[in-house]
Amino acid sequence: MSLEEPLKFAYWVPNVSGGLVTSDIEQRTDWGYEYNRDLAVLAENSGFEYALSQVRYTASYGAAYQHESTGFSLALLLATQRLKVIAAVHPGLWHPGVLAKFIASADVISGGRAAVNVVSGWFKGEFTGLGEPWLEHDERYRRSEEFIRVLRELWTNDHAEFRGDFYRIHDFDIKPKPVAAPHPEIFQGGNSTAARKLAGSVSDWYFSNGKDFDGFSEQVSEVQGYAASHGRTVRFGLNGFVIARSSESEARAVLREIVAKANVEAVEGFRSAVAQAGKSTSDSKGMWADSGFEDLVQYNDGFRTKLIGTPEQIADRAIEYKKRGANLLLLGFLHYLEDVEHFGKEVLPVIRAKEQDLARGAATPEPLGV
């Protein structure tokens, strides 16, 4: 990415109960609509450009209640003016033609602010519980590639055609077309080789679970290589859990309390459910393949990104991730209303100041001979 381009920020929408950590620590966060409506307005006024609505269909692993992601995303779009809202969706539980129609309407209604995050599926019990077939790992990503190609075809072509192993579209036209050009943004996560190849071939954005510097750099390099082989470029988002306090010791004390009060039964249940995600790949690069108990207390490895400390320390790490290819940071918080506001007032200005320094440095060539 260009070092002159500002980092973008997204937040995980807490549309499922239990907050963003599977812990019995106090979390002043609510999964209901009124809370989330106020949060969305606060977030867009605090410098956030995106929000990602989670997808869970059944009570599980610390999330006893959940709002459906696409309907909830539309509600948040109607409550805001600038925020782009990304709805997480599962191929296999949606037909791409039906989803394309829904997102097109949401995009028109919101003035071009709807997006999707295509989740290839980790929770077998949701599929089997609904009586739907469960595909093994690489087959799910093959289906996701076709799913994304159908979305793009329907959003951009008046006589859509597609013939694949999972979906068939013939001379199909949806109107109105989306407002966003060339189409609503398509996000996609995953960690496996299949996920990385999928991003390189069809996705606009690749979401990474929480990673240290080297782990993130390795993902960026590989996905960029796959994208280049298709004559494409991909943008990168990175998950992180923010604990910003006036001192590093205070922030780390909060982290220790989160882990100490972890809901062991829920974390272990989640770990058991996702174990197949990493182990079912030939190279063991799948999601959560090397995640330990403490990592899974924040269920997308958000602690690994280490956005924990003072505003200055968090800003330094954000800038380093930007230098390594991050275009967006996807953030979770303990107490959303308070922490999002604090991030906007105390952390984001430090990041923006450091970005200006970085851009000036990039624009100033080194003297000859150095």
Side-chain angles (χ1 to χ4, degrees):
M1 70 176 288
S2 168
L3 294 180
E4 289 79 14
E5 180 184 346
L7 264 173
K8 299 180 185 296
F9 292 91
Y11 72 92
W12 284 97
V13 174
N15 58 305
V16 304
S17 63
L20 265 288
V21 292
T22 309
S23 173
D24 295 328
I25 191 173
E26 181 190 16
Q27 298 187 67
R28 294 189 295 276
T29 292
D30 189 83
W31 62 281
Y33 173 66
E34 292 78 9
Y35 180 95
N36 273 281
R37 176 197 60 207
D38 294 345
L39 173 60
V41 173
L42 174 66
E44 72 173 359
N45 290 329
S46 298
F48 285 79
E49 296 183 49
Y50 293 87
L52 171 60
S53 295
Q54 303 174 66
V55 58
R56 292 270 191 109
Y57 289 100
T58 188
S60 62
Y61 314 123
Y65 299 90
Q66 56 285 136
H67 285 294
E68 191 276 327
S69 61
T70 59
F72 207 72
S73 294
L74 178 56
L76 296 183
L77 287 168
L78 293 173
T80 53
Q81 296 180 332
R82 301 177 303 281
L83 192 71
K84 296 180 181 180
V85 185
I86 312 160
V89 296
H90 280 120
L93 299 180
W94 276 95
H95 187 286
V98 177
L99 180 70
K101 187 67 176 177
F102 181 96
I103 296 298
S105 291
D107 197 63
V108 170
I109 291 167
S110 66
R113 295 186 286 123
V116 295
N117 179 42
V118 176
V119 181
S120 294
W122 59 269
F123 189 6
K124 182 177 180 180
E126 287 193 330
F127 284 78
T128 59
L130 291 170
E132 294 298 318
W134 174 252
L135 303 182
E136 289 308 317
H137 184 276
D138 287 5
E139 284 295 285
R140 297 200 303 274
Y141 280 94
R142 280 211 314 124
R143 178 173 62 189
S144 291
E145 178 171 349
E146 290 192 11
F147 190 90
I148 291 171
R149 290 188 185 279
V150 171
L151 290 180
R152 185 177 286 119
E153 173 74 3
L154 288 167
W155 284 335
T156 59
N157 196 327
D158 288 344
H159 300 279
E161 296 280 347
F162 185 84
R163 186 175 181 85
D165 293 334
F166 300 95
Y167 304 108
R168 310 287 174 89
I169 305 295
H170 176 61
D171 194 22
F172 204 84
D173 185 18
I174 63 170
K175 282 189 172 62
K177 291 288 192 280
V179 173
H183 52 70
E185 292 174 290
I186 300 169
F187 293 73
Q188 165 245 319
N191 194 56
S192 64
T193 297
R196 300 176 193 204
K197 288 182 176 179
L198 174 64
S201 62
V202 294
S203 301
D204 301 315
W205 287 84
Y206 176 81
F207 270 141
S208 171
N209 262 14
K211 292 287 182 184
D212 61 17
F213 293 142
D214 290 343
F216 180 66
S217 293
E218 185 265 337
Q219 283 189 319
V220 169
S221 176
E222 189 166 336
V223 173
Q224 284 178 333
Y226 290 131
S229 71
H230 293 281
R232 305 180 66 251
T233 59
V234 179
R235 295 166 73 77
F236 294 89
L238 172 67
N239 179 58
F241 191 84
V242 173
I243 306 175
R245 298 294 187 269
S246 58
S247 68
E248 181 181 3
S249 61
E250 184 183 359
R252 295 203 171 278
V254 174
L255 176 61
R256 287 194 298 272
E257 184 181 1
I258 292 172
V259 175
K261 294 181 177 178
N263 184 324
V264 175
E265 181 180 359
V267 175
E268 290 294 354
F270 180 81
R271 177 155 66 171
S272 176
V274 302
Q276 54 78 34
K279 302 306 181 184
S280 63
T281 61
S282 58
D283 53 10
S284 296
K285 283 186 178 181
M287 293 279 277
W288 304 288
D290 60 349
S291 301
F293 179 89
E294 291 189 9
D295 299 319
L296 294 176
V297 175
Q298 202 295 303
Y299 40 81
N300 282 96
D301 290 341
F303 299 151
R304 286 187 170 191
T305 309
K306 297 181 180 179
L307 300 177
I308 298 165
T310 65
E312 184 85 11
Q313 289 172 316
I314 292 169
D316 283 337
R317 289 193 69 83
I319 293 299
E320 183 61 30
Y321 281 115
K322 176 178 179 173
K323 289 162 64 176
R324 291 168 180 262
N327 304 97
L328 176 150
L329 296 182
L330 171 60
L331 306 178
F333 301 89
L334 195 61
H335 311 302
Y336 261 87
L337 289 175
E338 299 99 309
D339 290 345
V340 164
E341 184 174 27
H342 182 261
F343 185 88
K345 289 181 176 178
E346 303 297 334
V347 182
L348 189 54
V350 183
I351 293 173
R352 295 302 185 217
K354 290 179 180 291
E355 283 185 312
Q356 291 177 2
D357 292 340
L358 184 65
R360 281 194 291 268
T364 304
E366 293 183 349
L368 291 176
V370 173

